Amino acid sequence: MPHAHHASVASALVSAGLILVLLMYLRGWLRLRRLNLGSVQAWRAGGFMLGLFLIWLAIASPLSALDHEMLTAHMVQHLLLMTFAAPLILLGAPVKTLLNRLPHRLVQVMGRSSQSTGLHQVWSALTHPLICWLGAAGTLVAWHIPGVFVLGLRSQNWHGIEQASFLATGLLFWWPVVQPLPTSLKWPESSILLYLFLATLPCDILSGFLVFCDRVVYPVFLSSPQSFGLSALEDQQCAGALMWTCVTVVYLIAAAIVTACLLSSHGSQEHAIRQSETQAIALRKSDVQRMEVV
């Protein structure tokens, strides 16, 4: 009972925090639209709100209690936080919208402070694709080591740390892909495709191991009730297959969008070059005609 009471209190606090963030975001978004200060599109705002809902669904809804009984429920939590909620949050331009609610002078002071203390350089290093990839892959692997996994199940505090690390590294992972803030890229934009492809490898290895292993990797689920008529081994295989499918589809969609943006940008550049060449030829012809007249 103390564990359940602690969990219910934590869920209530998380729900309250998410509602507060939602209200702050909505006020900032409406202010941007009212003042016409580079407003965020409605679909982006909708994505941000959906991302908050998915965080609530993973952490504070009744689903959060099922991960102590089913590995599949644990995998759903992990996917909601890292694979779905994180990119939706970043697509909503949260920094621009939430900072809009702060006094302008305070924002300026924060900007100067980050430059003077070197925080800007630290953040640039932290959001480098290599660091983001290692952070996400390391978190995924570490929390699925049997001993660490059981620690997260038996301790509410460690369970909270686990969920927070999933969300934090998920946001870091998607940062180079979504690029919610303007940045001077020091790597080719096409390298994001390789970044997404390499990101599937740790997920494929882990999910393949869970699907094809002929024994239960986490014995703690052997004593759990057979929810939905699944045995512990079937539950493990279902969790692995779910992870394998979702990650592959989401990363494939992201890669397709990135490719379309790259091709569109390349086409626009070629059009601009052809247009400038046409204008240059027209100018040369007009100069020649004037010289002939003279």
Side-chain angles (χ1 to χ4, degrees):
M1 289 300 293
H3 178 81
H5 175 71
H6 191 282
S8 62
V9 172
S11 297
L13 291 175
V14 169
S15 300
L18 292 175
I19 292 173
L20 178 61
V21 172
L22 174 61
L23 293 176
M24 293 175 60
Y25 181 88
L26 284 176
R27 291 188 63 184
W29 181 67
L30 291 173
R31 184 172 184 270
L32 285 174
R33 291 177 66 87
R34 185 173 64 253
L35 301 179
N36 197 24
L37 299 174
S39 61
V40 178
Q41 297 96 319
W43 70 268
R44 290 183 177 273
F48 181 88
M49 289 184 278
L50 178 58
L52 290 182
F53 172 74
L54 294 181
I55 294 174
W56 175 84
L57 192 63
I59 297 178
S61 73
L63 173 67
S64 60
L66 287 177
D67 69 343
H68 287 69
E69 302 177 6
M70 297 182 64
L71 181 60
T72 301
H74 168 85
M75 196 62 70
V76 169
Q77 282 186 324
H78 155 221
L79 291 170
L80 287 176
L81 293 172
M82 292 190 77
T83 309
F84 294 100
L88 288 171
I89 291 293
L90 295 180
L91 283 171
V95 177
K96 174 183 177 180
T97 307
L98 292 174
L99 284 181
N100 184 58
R101 293 304 308 151
L102 300 178
H104 183 64
R105 289 186 178 181
L106 178 59
V107 175
Q108 289 181 326
V109 170
M110 291 170 60
R112 288 194 296 267
S113 176
S114 65
Q115 292 288 347
S116 61
T117 59
L119 289 178
H120 179 72
Q121 289 76 11
V122 172
W123 179 248
S124 297
L126 188 63
T127 53
H128 189 279
L130 178 60
I131 301 301
C132 296
W133 189 93
L134 290 174
T139 300
L140 173 69
V141 172
W143 282 110
H144 287 91
I145 296 174
V148 182
F149 184 90
V150 173
L151 179 64
L153 287 181
R154 292 179 176 174
S155 169
Q156 187 67 26
N157 292 331
W158 279 108
H159 190 58
I161 294 173
E162 177 186 11
Q163 293 173 326
S165 65
F166 280 151
L167 179 60
T169 54
L171 291 170
L172 276 181
F173 171 80
W174 286 102
W175 190 279
V177 181
V178 179
Q179 297 178 24
L181 290 178
T183 179
S184 54
L185 292 174
K186 298 181 178 60
W187 59 88
E189 292 185 357
S190 58
S191 64
I192 296 299
L193 298 176
L194 178 62
Y195 175 83
L196 289 169
F197 169 73
L198 293 177
T200 63
L201 298 182
C203 300
D204 290 346
I205 293 172
L206 176 60
S207 56
F209 174 71
L210 293 176
V211 169
F212 297 110
C213 186
D214 57 356
R215 63 179 179 83
V216 176
V217 178
Y218 307 110
V220 65
F221 290 114
L222 288 172
S223 58
S224 300
Q226 293 187 1
S227 302
F228 304 99
L230 296 175
S231 66
L233 184 58
E234 291 170 338
D235 174 40
Q236 175 179 292
Q237 293 169 342
C238 180
L242 180 66
M243 179 184 182
W244 208 337
T245 303
C246 288
V247 169
T248 300
V249 171
V250 171
Y251 288 9
L252 185 61
I253 292 174
I257 294 174
V258 171
T259 301
C261 292
L262 290 174
L263 293 176
S264 176
S265 175
H266 183 67
S268 300
Q269 291 175 358
E270 287 186 346
H271 177 71
I273 292 173
R274 286 195 299 267
Q275 191 174 20
S276 62
E277 289 177 348
T278 303
Q279 292 175 351
I281 293 172
L283 288 173
R284 283 198 296 268
K285 286 182 178 180
S286 64
D287 290 341
V288 170
Q289 290 174 353
R290 282 196 298 268
M291 290 175 65
E292 290 176 349
V293 170
V294 174

